[in-house]
């Protein structure tokens, strides 16, 4: 018996070795399919300039950039995501033509001349609002009602003191003792200022003082933290990456939004959900397992029967390796085409490698069938490149299935340092590769070149909120998922759901219950559908002068709500492209 067991083990080992080393048995080739032939070229980043965002009317929030080498582009990304109209400028006089001014990153005599410092003080005394993240001298301590501030890197949380906030909307996390690099902060010592929030060490994190208008300080560089989070470099801050609600970044932007609305006579905001909907729900599925191919049509049919669409990220598995057998082949084209009817098909890479984040960038000439990344183990993959994964998977899906591919999700949500510019160069428009709690926001946002925050690329990230692999079973945590989605969408946020159709059963029942539960309340659809709406919204310039909304939109705006919080009114922009002026009815 023992010899028999040993013999079986030897045979199995030999079989595994043959699979791993015999290239003739591990690649599936579609007859006559070769490509892509055109090379992919990644151009160098052109750094963003403050003057690129020096536009718009005086009813916007003004950001006075006191240090152009700072992370001001993080604020651009954050304000656009949250629908806060803004203008960036280095000119103090222009900034003070607005009623609400954010001096970024700090106010100090080193960064601003005495005339500008005096102007900011007069601006507050005349009824304006001035906000900053660090008051480092300049003689304005009495105006802001503070004695001093204590820099440090040991703080990790901000507790907001507004009793009207829901319990889940009171905590901002920004540091983790597990992280290699700690985010710095300033503990504020108030004198006459009122505390708005505290750090976990008891020092004041946010304060405001009324002196005609308002002078406020938040002791954390929000631009820097935004870039850090949106670039996927705050992975260890939140207790859970998915399946919970962590609005750490959102809370700070809501605080600034409220200061803007209070301090501006004629404020307006740009909606984060399509008109008529409280929030948005994006339904996505990852087909990265043999059995998922046959199950996917059942999920697609459930979505179709409710007159909705969803995204199915398909791995173009044409190679038999350590991960799985070939399933992107002629035999499985019928169920994949059935799945694609009325649905979006996105790329889920070629290899679905756990080590994707450490792949070389590649040459940009990778093509099928010569591109053959081979997963050798849980941690090792041979001959894989980032451009190969993006180019070849997109080509195969479009060439073989006849679909248009605009969205990408990496295997295991692996985030390569060069992924943003590689996505842009290979024709992708939308990504869903990061978890919402690791980026500390429940809103989509524009990606930055090299995940560095110095230049933006025309690709938008839609972070994952709910996924199906962590215990307990997806079907057993419907109520918990609804609680999270309610928290997210209650603020106009976007909840992206990720389901692997490796089984039907409780997973399919969960998705059906979810769609039925939110029917009529949340916008529901595919990543590409929502992505088109969101990118058009993000690229549009919107101004309001009290009488009309002026719009410049390079892409067609549909169902975009402009809110007027002081009157309770709103305006819906639909079918708007180019430049247009739309009158606003007085309440």
């Amino acid at each position: 018996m023992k010899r028999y067991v040993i013999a079986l083990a030897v045979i199995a080992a030999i079989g595994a070795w043959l699979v791993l080393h015999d290239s003739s048995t591990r690649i599936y080739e579609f007859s006559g399919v070769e490509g892509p032939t055109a090379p992919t070229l990644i151009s160098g980043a052109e750094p963003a300039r403050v003057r690129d965002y020096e536009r718009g009317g005086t009813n916007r929030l003004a950001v006075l950039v006191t240090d152009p080498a700072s992370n001001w582009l993080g604020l651009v990304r954050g304000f656009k995501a949250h629908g806060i109209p803004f203008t960036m400028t280095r000119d103090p006089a222009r900034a003070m033509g607005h009623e609400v001014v954010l001096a970024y990153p700090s106010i100090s005599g080193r960064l601003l001349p005495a005339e500008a410092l005096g102007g900011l003080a007069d601006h507050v005394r005349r009824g304006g609002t001035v906000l900053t993240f660090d008051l480092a001298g300049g003689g304005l301590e009495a105006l802001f009602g503070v004695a001093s501030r204590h820099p440090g890197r040991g703080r990790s949380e901000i507790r907001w003191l507004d009793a009207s906030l829901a319990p889940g909307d009171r905590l901002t996390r920004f540091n983790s003792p597990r992280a290699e690099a700690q985010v710095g902060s300033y503990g504020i010592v108030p004198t006459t200022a009122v505390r708005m929030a505290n750090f976990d060490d008891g020092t004041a994190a946010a304060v405001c003082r009324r002196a005609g208008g308002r002078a406020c300080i938040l002791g954390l560089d929000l631009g820097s933290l935004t870039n850090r989070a949106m670039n996927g470099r705050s992975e260890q801050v939140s207790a859970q990456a998915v399946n919970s609600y962590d609005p750490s970044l959102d809370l700070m932007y809501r605080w600034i939004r409220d200061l803007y609305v209070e301090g501006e006579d004629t404020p307006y905001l740009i909606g984060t959900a399509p008109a008529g909907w409280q929030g948005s729900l994006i339904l996505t599925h990852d087909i990265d397992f043999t059995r998922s191919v046959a199950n996917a049509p059942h999920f697609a049919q459930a979505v179709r029967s409710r007159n909705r669409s969803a995204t199915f990220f398909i791995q173009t598995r044409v190679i038999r390796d350590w991960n799985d057998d070939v399933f992107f082949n002629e035999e499985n084209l019928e169920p994949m085409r059935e799945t694609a009817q009325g649905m979006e098909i996105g790329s889920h890479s070629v290899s679905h490698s756990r080590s994707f984040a450490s792949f070389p960038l590649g040459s940009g000439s990778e093509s099928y069938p010569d591109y053959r990344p081979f997963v050798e183990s849980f941690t090792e993959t041979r001959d894989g490149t980032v451009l190969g994964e993006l180019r070849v998977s997109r080509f195969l899906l479009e060439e073989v299935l006849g679909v248009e591919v605009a969205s990408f999700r990496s295997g295991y949500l692996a985030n390569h340092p060069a992924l943003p510019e590689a996505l842009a160069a290979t024709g992708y428009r939308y990504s869903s590769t990061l978890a919402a709690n690791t980026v500390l926001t429940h809103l989509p946002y524009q990606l930055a070149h090299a995940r560095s925050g110095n230049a933006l690329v025309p690709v938008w990230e839609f972070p994952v909120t709910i996924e199906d692999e962590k215990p307990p079973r997806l079907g057993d945590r419907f109520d918990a998922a609804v609680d999270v989605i309610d928290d997210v969408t209650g603020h106009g946020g976007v909840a992206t759901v990720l389901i692997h159709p490796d089984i039907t059963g409780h997973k399919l029942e969960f998705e059906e219950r979810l769609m039925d539960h939110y029917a009529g309340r949340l916008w529901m659809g595919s990543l590409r559908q929502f992505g088109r709406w969101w990118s058009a919204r993000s690229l549009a310039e919107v101004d309001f002068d009290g009488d009309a909304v002026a719009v410049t939109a390079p892409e067609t705006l549909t169902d975009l709500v402009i809110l007027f919080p002081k009157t309770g009114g709103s305006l819906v922009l639909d079918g708007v492209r180019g430049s247009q002026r739309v009158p606003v009815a007085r309440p």
Side-chain angles (χ1 to χ4, degrees), residues 96 115-128 130 140 143 211 213:
M96 284 180 277
E115 180 183 0
L117 294 169
L120 290 172
D122 290 341
H123 188 72
V124 173
R125 296 187 185 106
R126 289 194 300 266
V130 173
L140 301 185
L143 178 73

Side-chain angles (χ1 to χ4, degrees), residues 387-509:
L387 291 175
E389 296 293 295
L390 298 177
R391 282 169 52 87
V392 173
S393 62
R394 184 168 186 258
F395 167 79
L396 285 172
L397 291 169
E398 293 189 335
E399 185 73 13
V400 176
L401 289 184
V403 297
E404 177 188 349
V405 175
S407 303
F408 176 79
R409 174 178 288 153
S410 64
Y412 302 100
L413 303 186
N415 191 17
H416 193 279
L419 184 58
E421 58 267 34
L423 287 168
T426 49
Y428 292 91
R429 182 83 164 173
Y430 317 113
S431 169
S432 185
T433 293
L434 292 165
N437 288 348
T438 65
V439 296
L440 308 180
T441 180
H442 294 279
L443 289 166
Y445 58 87
Q446 195 168 358
L447 291 175
H449 185 99
R451 293 168 56 198
S452 69
N454 295 324
L456 301 182
V457 299
V459 181
W460 281 263
E461 175 66 30
F462 298 79
V464 175
T465 309
I466 303 291
E467 63 81 54
D468 63 341
E469 291 193 313
K470 295 185 180 298
R473 297 188 328 158
L474 186 62
D476 295 336
R477 50 181 164 98
F478 179 81
D479 290 341
V482 164
D483 287 343
V484 173
I485 294 170
D486 283 349
D487 283 335
V488 171
T489 58
H491 294 281
V494 182
T496 300
V497 176
L498 185 166
I499 297 177
H500 295 83
D502 53 333
I503 61 170
T504 52
H506 70 90
K507 291 189 178 184
L508 180 55
E509 291 170 4

Side-chain angles (χ1 to χ4, degrees), residues 68 137 198 251 297 331 334-335 491 556 585:
N198 288 331
L251 296 181
E331 179 183 347
E334 182 178 349
H491 294 281
T556 302

Side-chain angles (χ1 to χ4, degrees), residues 11 42 76 130 156 166 182 275 285 288 309 354 376 389 427 549 575:
I11 291 171
I42 297 181
V76 170
V130 173
S156 60
Q182 299 296 308
H285 312 77
D288 49 30
S309 184
R354 188 175 290 270
E376 296 183 318
E389 296 293 295
V549 169

Side-chain angles (χ1 to χ4, degrees), residues 203-227:
T203 58
V207 299
C208 283
R209 178 176 180 267
R210 292 191 179 274
R214 297 187 85 181
C216 301
I217 307 172
L218 174 63
L220 186 68
D221 186 334
L222 182 55
S224 178
L225 181 63
T226 302
N227 271 340

Side-chain angles (χ1 to χ4, degrees), residues 49-198:
R49 303 166 300 179
V50 173
R51 65 175 178 269
D52 295 337
Y53 299 93
E54 193 170 15
R55 58 174 77 101
T58 57
N59 289 351
R60 297 186 181 199
L61 166 71
V63 181
L64 173 59
V65 179
T66 60
D67 181 1
S70 63
N71 280 281
W72 58 268
L73 193 60
L75 295 180
V76 170
R77 301 165 82 184
F79 286 143
K80 281 185 172 289
H82 288 82
I84 303 170
F86 68 94
T87 186
M88 296 270 168
T89 183
R90 298 211 57 214
D91 180 358
R94 175 161 184 170
M96 284 180 277
H98 297 242
E99 290 176 286
V100 183
V101 179
L102 166 58
Y104 181 79
S106 65
I107 295 174
S108 78
R110 180 178 62 85
L111 297 174
L112 291 170
E115 180 183 0
L117 294 169
L120 290 172
D122 290 341
H123 188 72
V124 173
R125 296 187 185 106
R126 289 194 300 266
T129 298
V130 173
L131 166 68
T132 192
F133 299 124
D134 180 24
L135 186 65
L140 301 185
E141 288 82 3
L143 178 73
F144 280 83
V146 299
S148 60
R149 89 277 198 268
H150 300 293
R153 296 186 178 274
R155 306 178 187 96
S156 60
E157 295 179 351
I158 295 174
R159 178 70 64 175
W160 297 90
L161 302 178
D162 185 349
S164 68
L165 296 175
D169 291 329
R170 297 180 186 178
L171 181 64
T172 286
R173 299 180 177 91
F174 61 92
N175 254 341
S176 167
R178 298 171 293 166
E180 293 182 7
Q182 299 296 308
V183 175
S185 59
Y186 296 99
I188 305 164
V189 180
T191 52
T192 57
V194 176
R195 291 181 183 237
M196 303 285 110
N198 288 331

